[in-house]
């Protein structure tokens, strides 16, 4: 019963088969191969327009490169205060932006509202000595498993336009958000004003494949040079593209995310039926954040369940984790068996009834 994260599992069979196929014969290096050409065309199809694509091996590289192309060294990049880019990337975005700063703002469920961002921007002093805001970065899905609706993205992009800022989306869990909303990739991104996207595929079935998808041509200008300087132009580049070919074939990527989200739904529904358990935020993608008695969390761990505790920083107003309670994060993936979810729910039920009997 391992719910620690969605990167604890291996790659899916279609991805591994595509890799094995790509292993045969010789091909031009550094992304000049036929599979990479096909994958770039596939991204254009998926997003229903021309896009520039950079293929990399980690989400951190993808975010850092995307942000460095949108923010000059003297700029500010606004994000949620719990965003992966500010909290979990060891300063890589700031390192690649060469002096620019990330500014974290609050927001329930790790989501930023257009009002919060506008109020912050309107309050910034404007002088040559002050760093001007140049980009806003949002995560879709967020670090709290919530999802921005297309209209919320559009409101944020309107704020960005008014302030001459680019809008970046950290899509480490892009497809989990996509199938949750039931919209198209275009409707979740450029049609709402997203300028540059970190498209994640590793967590949902690839081995290590992420893409920077650029919708605004001026942001793509120096991106290949930046990618090489970051050591992310892979010499046997066909192997990233091959993963993505297996990933996209036959809607495998969508099916994987639908499975993960369904497992999260089962967990969420099952847990909220149990007395004394409530969710910190709605489970809108593939993560569930229950608040439960500390004794139940301990009993679940003792029964062999693995998961992380989570921060209370973005709880809804009025919500609190009591002194005898724990807030935990459960992440499911494309490979989580339904049986594992059911075993976890049974263990939670057993822990709570033991507690009630004591
Ligand atoms: C929201 C978010 N962004 C980006 C990443 C990518 O990180 P990594 O560099 O580990 O691939 C992650 C991974 O945990 C994430 O959760």
């Amino acid at each position: 019963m391992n719910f620690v994260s969605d990167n604890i599992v291996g790659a899916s069979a279609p991805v591994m088969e595509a890799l094995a196929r790509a292993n045969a014969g010789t091909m031009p290096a550094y992304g000049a191969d036929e599979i990479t050409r096909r994958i770039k065309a596939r991204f254009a199809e998926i997003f229903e327009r021309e896009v520039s694509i950079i293929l990399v091996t980690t989400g951190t590289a993808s975010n850092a490169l995307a942000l460095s192309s949108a923010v000059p060294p003297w700029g500010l990049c606004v994000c949620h205060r719990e965003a992966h880019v500010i909290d979990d990337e060891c300063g890589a975005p700031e390192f690649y932006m060469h002096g620019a700063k990330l500014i974290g703002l609050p927001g329930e469920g790790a989501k930023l509202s257009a009002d919060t961002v506008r109020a912050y921007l309107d309050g910034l002093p404007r002088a040559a000595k002050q760093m001007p805001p140049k980009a806003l970065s949002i995560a879709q899905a967020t670090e709290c498993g919530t999802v921005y609706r297309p209209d919320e993205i559009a409101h944020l992009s309107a704020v960005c336009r008014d302030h001459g800022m680019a809008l970046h989306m950290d899509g480490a869990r892009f497809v989990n958000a996509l199938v949750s909303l039931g919209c198209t990739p275009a409707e979740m991104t450029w049609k709402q004003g997203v300028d540059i996207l970190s498209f994640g595929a590793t967590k949902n079935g690839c081995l290590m494949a992420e893409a920077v998808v650029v919708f605004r041509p001026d942001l793509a200008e120096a991106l290949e040079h930046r990618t090489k300087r970051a050591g992310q132009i892979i010499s046997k580049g066909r192997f990233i593209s091959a993963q993505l070919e297996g990933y996209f074939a036959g809607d495998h990527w969508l099916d994987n995310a639908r499975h993960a989200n369904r497992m999260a739904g089962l967990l969420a529904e099952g847990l909220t039926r149990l007395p004394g358990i409530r969710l910190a935020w709605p489970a809108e993608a593939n993560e569930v954040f229950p608040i439960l008695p500390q004794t139940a969390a301990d009993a679940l761990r003792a029964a062999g369940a693995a998961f992380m505790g989570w921060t209370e920083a973005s709880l809804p107003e009025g919500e609190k984790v009591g002194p005898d309670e724990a807030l935990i994060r459960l992440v499911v993936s494309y490979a989580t068996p339904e049986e594992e979810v059911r075993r976890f729910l049974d263990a939670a039920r057993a822990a709570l009834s033991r507690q009630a009997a004591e």
Side-chain angles (χ1 to χ4, degrees):
M1 293 188 285
N2 194 331
F3 299 98
V4 170
S5 191
D6 37 9
N7 56 8
I8 56 159
V9 291
S12 69
V15 168
M16 293 307 285
E17 285 155 16
L19 270 171
R21 278 194 302 277
N23 198 36
T26 62
M27 282 185 207
Y30 298 112
D33 61 278
E34 183 57 20
I35 309 176
T36 302
R37 195 196 56 72
R38 286 201 299 268
I39 270 305
K40 288 186 174 174
R42 186 79 177 96
F43 269 108
E45 247 173 58
I46 286 171
F47 284 96
E48 304 172 54
R49 56 168 283 172
E50 268 187 37
V51 285
S52 298
I53 300 295
I54 295 285
L55 300 176
V56 294
T57 53
T58 71
T60 298
S62 177
N63 283 336
L65 287 167
L67 291 177
S68 70
S69 69
V71 185
W74 56 89
L76 294 180
C77 174
V78 177
C79 60
H80 191 275
R81 67 181 177 196
E82 282 173 50
H84 201 270
V85 289
I86 198 168
D87 252 4
D88 297 299
E89 298 186 353
C90 198
E94 281 155 323
F95 180 65
Y96 282 94
M97 292 187 294
H98 297 292
K101 275 191 203 161
L102 285 165
I103 301 289
L105 300 183
E108 210 172 289
K111 278 171 78 170
L112 288 174
S113 76
D115 287 347
T116 301
V117 177
R118 195 183 287 282
Y120 169 75
L121 295 171
D122 289 347
L124 281 176
R126 304 277 158 153
K129 63 181 179 179
Q130 258 87 35
M131 297 175 89
K134 290 291 182 183
L136 170 67
S137 178
I138 56 171
Q140 179 77 323
T142 72
E143 289 74 5
C144 292
T146 54
V147 165
Y148 287 94
R149 293 188 316 266
D151 63 302
E152 292 173 319
I153 300 170
H155 288 140
L156 287 164
S157 83
V159 176
C160 289
R161 265 198 316 280
D162 290 350
H163 289 82
M165 296 160 69
L167 179 57
H168 166 250
M169 178 179 278
D170 173 357
R173 297 187 176 89
F174 181 87
V175 62
N176 299 98
L178 185 78
V179 300
S180 167
L181 290 168
C183 64
T184 65
E187 284 162 356
M188 202 170 85
T189 56
W190 63 271
K191 287 192 174 173
Q192 311 309 331
V194 173
D195 297 305
I196 190 160
L197 163 72
S198 300
F199 178 95
T202 306
K203 290 177 191 294
N204 190 46
C206 284
L207 202 65
M208 50 183 87
E210 310 279 314
V212 183
V213 182
V214 193
F215 303 112
R216 225 178 76 190
D218 60 302
L219 297 182
E221 272 162 22
L223 200 47
E224 282 198 336
H225 297 300
R226 289 182 193 281
T227 307
K228 181 63 183 170
R229 281 165 66 86
Q232 279 285 331
I233 293 199
I234 313 300
S235 74
K236 295 187 180 178
R238 63 169 129 162
F239 291 112
I240 304 191
S241 308
Q243 292 174 58
L244 290 166
E245 200 156 65
Y247 185 64
F248 289 139
D251 284 349
H252 176 57
W253 64 306
L254 300 172
D255 292 341
N256 277 1
R258 283 188 191 115
H259 172 82
N261 287 12
R262 193 169 71 78
M263 291 304 104
L266 282 181
L267 262 181
E269 202 189 305
L271 287 170
T272 47
R273 281 220 198 103
L274 299 175
I277 301 190
R278 61 195 186 281
L279 297 188
W281 305 285
E284 293 175 338
N286 64 321
E287 299 179 272
V288 185
F289 293 84
I291 300 172
L292 71 175
Q294 182 65 56
T295 48
D298 295 342
L300 281 162
R301 283 204 167 98
F307 47 80
M308 280 165 48
W310 206 249
T311 161
E312 301 168 29
S314 294
L315 285 178
E317 219 180 306
E319 180 60 273
K320 242 175 96 55
V321 179
D324 300 327
E325 290 182 319
L327 165 56
I328 65 169
R329 180 182 87 156
L330 304 170
V331 190
V332 286
S333 78
Y334 77 92
T336 304
E338 187 167 331
E339 187 266 333
E340 196 170 325
V341 169
R342 303 223 176 267
R343 264 201 297 139
F344 183 86
L345 290 173
D346 288 345
R349 196 174 304 110
L352 288 166
S353 39
R354 264 197 313 276
Q355 192 191 354
E358 276 163 15

